[in-house]
Amino acid sequence: MLLGALEAGGTKMVCAIGNENGEILDQVSFPTEEPNSTMLNIIDYFKGKDITGLGIGNFGPLDLNRKSKKYGYITTTPKYGWTNFNMVGTLSDALNVPIGFDTDVNAAALGEATWGTTSGLDSSIYITVGTGIGVGVIVNNQILHGMLHPEAGHVLINKRVDDHYSSNCRFHPNCLEGLASGPAIEGRWGKKAQELFDHESVWDLEADYLAQGIVGYILTLSPQKIVLGGGVMNQTQLFPKIRSKVQVLLNGYIDTSEIDNIDLYIVPSALGGKQGIMGCLRLAYLNTL
Ligand code: ADP
Ligand code: ZN
């Protein structure tokens, strides 16, 4: 079965053709510009490719409530031109195929849980630390939506007293994304995150903030495994720092083999950057059943 996958990001749109086994047969990407030209590129790519369904993992926030008049819309994004854009409607009118639609991080969590390091588990989370921070959540083999969808990158954390950086989230002075996303690192230290690799204090602070968020997710969602991805997590020295800070913050309260074996519990993706687009294939497939 040929399936379409669209990873709709704030900077680029990754389009792929693949199948229900997660195999990607062809892939292209287009810059995310204003909606008209961007959508034309996407539609041109998928037209005539004989796909049975399309799965979209989209930057949010999104309306995922199938009973809502605005189901399938990108809602309150600050991204110019895309506020209240009808993503699902535009693509289903043009392509006339069933569309599975979810957040980019939920798609990545699903890809990972289907084919990656969290496969076989029924509850897991996928955290991306990049331009923003997002968390995709799988609970009891289902993507978690609820009222909207989790926006767990914006959980509030304790700012360290010696941190004078004032958050790059325009809503929250002390949320995780505002203090620990790639742009927050750059804003605080005056250099791109990738140029700060040998500054230990940068990564100690970063791990401290990420660990605070992760402890909240462990306590509320009880994931069986946690995957960390996104550009900032290319700094692999973060993993051991985060793991030990999580154990310190939990302080022995959660007594499970997972927390004891934390090297196997807080891990990078096993899909090498393809978790998002593969998750879109899975979204497409599940929606055709
Ligand atoms: P996006 O979130 O836009 O999809 P990324 O996940 O690549 O894209 O995130 C971009 C952010 O990640 C930027 O702030 C960038 O500075 C940071 N970043 C990218 N590569 C690295 C790296 N090797 N080390 C540290 N930070 C990185
Ligand atoms: Zn915020």
Side-chain angles (χ1 to χ4, degrees):
M1 181 192 294
L2 282 184
L3 297 165
L6 167 61
E7 208 179 356
T11 48
K12 63 179 196 270
M13 297 285 181
V14 181
C15 302
I17 304 291
N19 62 28
E20 69 274 28
N21 301 319
E23 287 158 353
I24 293 162
L25 307 170
D26 186 60
Q27 183 172 316
V28 297
S29 75
F30 307 107
T32 305
E33 291 161 346
E34 50 79 36
N36 281 345
S37 61
T38 310
M39 295 310 293
L40 274 181
N41 281 334
I42 294 170
I43 290 164
D44 271 358
Y45 175 76
F46 286 115
K47 262 238 150 101
K49 294 265 190 347
D50 204 22
I51 54 174
T52 306
L54 174 67
I56 308 172
N58 211 114
F59 67 89
L62 310 175
D63 190 335
L64 299 177
N65 175 3
R66 289 195 184 250
K67 292 187 186 139
S68 158
K69 282 194 187 120
K70 291 200 164 173
Y71 168 74
Y73 280 56
I74 302 171
T75 59
T76 55
T77 177
K79 188 147 183 66
Y80 182 75
W82 293 89
T83 311
N84 281 320
F85 182 77
N86 185 356
M87 194 69 170
V88 170
T90 304
L91 288 173
S92 66
D93 286 352
L95 301 172
N96 204 20
V97 292
I99 293 181
F101 185 58
D102 219 306
T103 63
D104 45 6
V105 278
N106 273 341
L110 179 66
E112 201 68 45
T114 309
W115 293 293
T117 184
T118 49
S119 72
L121 302 176
D122 55 44
S123 298
S124 58
I125 64 175
Y126 179 90
I127 306 170
T128 182
V129 189
T131 306
I133 296 184
V135 184
V137 181
I138 310 275
V139 177
N140 295 338
N141 286 316
Q142 296 287 327
I143 295 178
L144 184 66
H145 286 160
M147 172 187 68
L148 172 74
H149 45 72
E151 277 288 350
H154 293 264
V155 292
L156 306 184
I157 59 168
N158 290 320
K159 191 167 159 178
R160 223 160 66 180
V161 284
D162 60 348
D163 179 12
H164 302 297
Y165 179 65
S166 64
S167 178
N168 76 339
C169 172
R170 64 191 178 92
F171 297 94
H172 314 116
N174 62 326
C175 76
L176 183 60
E177 175 170 303
L179 295 176
S181 62
I185 298 172
E186 186 175 341
R188 177 183 296 108
W189 303 97
K191 273 188 186 175
K192 287 208 173 302
Q194 46 271 57
E195 290 160 19
L196 292 160
F197 66 94
D198 55 351
H199 289 61
E200 182 110 16
S201 51
V202 171
W203 308 110
D204 280 339
L205 181 66
E206 181 70 7
D208 181 347
Y209 289 163
L210 290 171
Q212 289 190 51
I214 289 169
V215 163
Y217 312 146
I218 292 172
L219 295 171
T220 50
L221 298 165
S222 202
Q224 292 155 327
K225 202 168 189 180
I226 296 172
V227 185
L228 282 158
V232 171
M233 293 311 301
N234 286 314
Q235 299 296 322
T236 51
Q237 72 273 30
L238 277 169
F239 281 92
K241 288 183 193 293
I242 292 168
R243 291 172 185 137
S244 65
K245 283 172 198 282
V246 164
Q247 282 178 322
V248 168
L249 291 172
L250 287 172
N251 198 21
Y253 182 66
I254 304 291
D255 182 16
T256 61
S257 60
E258 286 89 344
I259 302 297
D260 283 347
N261 295 295
I262 200 153
D263 292 1
L264 304 176
Y265 181 65
I266 297 177
V267 296
S269 169
L271 298 175
K274 291 199 176 335
Q275 54 275 21
I277 199 76
M278 289 172 77
C280 295
L281 285 177
R282 184 71 179 170
L283 276 178
Y285 176 69
L286 291 176
N287 196 61
T288 63
L289 296 180

